[in-house]
Amino acid sequence: MAAAAPAGPSGDLWSPDGPDLVVHGDNAAVLPGLPEGSFTMVYIDPPFNTGRPQKRQELSMVRSASGDRIGFSGQRYETIKGALHRYDDAFSDYWAFLEPRLVEAWRLLAPDGTLYLHLDYREAHYAKVMLDAIFGRDCFLNEIIWAYDYGARTKRRWPTKHDNVLVYVKDPARYHFDAAEVDREPYMAPGLVTPEKRELGKLPTDVWWHTIVSPTGREKTGYPTQKPEGLVRRMVAASSRPGDWVLDFFAGSGTLGAVAQRLGRRFVCIDANPQAVEVMAGRLPSARVVAVPEGTV
Ligand SMILES: C[S@@+](CC[C@H](N)C(=O)[O-])C[C@H]1O[C@@H](n2cnc3c(N)ncnc32)[C@H](O)[C@@H]1O
């Protein structure tokens, strides 16, 4: 892989008229260098368990009209004790890693923007509590269930064959959502609908049946946690317009970038792993590849 060029001074990293970007760096270091409100859609698929003990965080905030602190966009926040995350170390570690990054996602979303947070069923409930606090409960739009059918089936419980995607909007009165842009599915009982409806197909619900990335298919990059383009395409198609900027700051193999490229959106894909950046540089050849060492932005 050609070495990623170092990013310039703060503020140089991204501009609305600049090229699509693949960024090598810790997202905690990169995100503060991106301007507020720049992205119509953020898709993230964080590691489910970082495996590292994190610094304990004892306080958190919820949005509240009578709150004692002024936060993003002049909104008021109420400081709450972290009683919830004292009961479970795993929750506390996960909170400490993810929460500041989700706050950045909120800051970076445009007023009509949407966050898609892709999670494992073991973590989704923790993250929902966090996102309710960061975005506000009224900004929760959906929980999408991605159902697949692959791998061994235990006989000791119901085999778990799904992921969860939490969807939050920056502003429930202004968010962009275009159902007409979404690919349609065959009806389950096609005999019960008119030929016209059968031909058109039905709008997907919040349960999406989709195969995993085929080990022999065109999409396969070899990156271990790669997600199918078909899933991400629906999200990008519904929640952004051609020309809009979209962001993935746990980008892995760059699935969001690949979809964005095909649908005429602009993208920033960030990952801390050099192997991920190498895969993305090959998959997204038109993007500029830059490196952001910690402490430079
Ligand atoms: C589950 S994978 C994402 C897979 C991706 N959705 C795809 O389709 O290929 C999570 C990614 O987050 C990256 N990651 C973990 N911690 C990070 C951090 N602090 N900053 C940037 N990337 C990070 C990992 O290197 C990994 O590639």
Side-chain angles (χ1 to χ4, degrees), residues 25-279:
D26 185 334
N27 47 27
V30 180
L31 296 176
L34 297 172
E36 169 177 340
S38 302
F39 297 90
T40 310
M41 189 253 183
V42 175
Y43 167 76
I44 42 171
D45 168 25
F48 296 144
N49 189 340
T50 63
R52 282 180 282 143
Q54 304 287 335
K55 197 162 86 18
R56 293 284 183 275
Q57 185 173 330
E58 294 304 331
L59 295 174
S60 190
M61 289 185 288
V62 290
R63 215 162 75 180
S64 152
S66 58
D68 57 344
R69 300 178 61 158
I70 307 277
F72 328 109
S73 307
Q75 284 173 15
R76 290 193 164 272
Y77 288 80
E78 186 183 312
T79 308
I80 54 165
K81 288 246 183 312
L84 253 181
H85 54 103
R86 273 199 298 272
Y87 84 99
D88 179 342
D89 280 356
F91 177 76
S92 199
D93 289 350
Y94 201 60
W95 179 291
F97 175 75
L98 210 50
E99 193 198 24
R101 290 160 169 92
L102 294 177
V103 169
E104 278 296 290
W106 185 93
R107 185 184 67 82
L108 291 169
L109 277 176
D112 60 354
T114 306
L115 169 71
Y116 288 82
L117 175 60
H118 189 143
L119 293 161
D120 173 88
Y121 65 95
R122 282 165 294 218
E123 317 289 354
H125 54 300
Y126 294 150
K128 175 126 191 342
V129 173
M130 278 185 227
L131 288 175
D132 280 349
I134 296 167
F135 280 70
R137 283 175 70 85
D138 53 336
C139 297
F140 172 60
L141 195 69
N142 277 117
E143 178 176 24
I144 295 167
I145 302 298
W146 168 32
Y148 47 84
D149 209 6
Y150 175 79
R153 281 165 190 263
T154 176
K155 296 210 168 59
R156 302 278 302 147
R157 61 180 174 143
W158 304 110
T160 43
K161 300 287 175 191
H162 78 277
D163 284 3
N164 307 55
V165 182
L166 298 176
V167 189
Y168 278 74
V169 294
K170 183 88 170 255
D171 181 343
R174 291 178 66 183
Y175 69 95
H176 174 79
F177 187 85
D178 190 351
E181 289 298 311
V182 175
D183 60 297
R184 293 190 163 239
E185 297 175 335
Y187 281 91
M188 270 189 191
L192 299 180
V193 296
T194 61
E196 293 75 29
K197 282 192 165 180
R198 205 178 310 141
E199 177 67 21
L200 187 61
K202 71 177 166 67
L203 203 57
T205 65
D206 55 358
V207 178
W208 298 359
W209 281 93
H210 199 292
T211 54
I212 61 158
V213 175
S214 157
T216 54
R218 169 193 65 81
E219 263 178 70
K220 181 84 180 168
T221 63
Y223 201 73
T225 51
Q226 183 183 349
K227 299 301 182 296
E229 288 183 17
L231 290 184
V232 179
R233 190 179 306 119
R234 270 190 187 166
M235 303 172 196
V236 172
S239 297
S240 68
R241 314 163 193 83
D244 282 346
W245 281 91
V246 297
L247 169 68
D248 184 348
F249 55 83
F250 289 101
S253 66
T255 305
L256 180 78
V259 167
Q261 210 167 238
R262 227 159 274 137
L263 296 182
R265 275 64 165 172
R266 318 298 317 280
F267 64 87
V268 176
C269 286
I270 304 167
D271 204 286
N273 179 353
Q275 277 85 49
V277 175
E278 186 170 351
V279 169

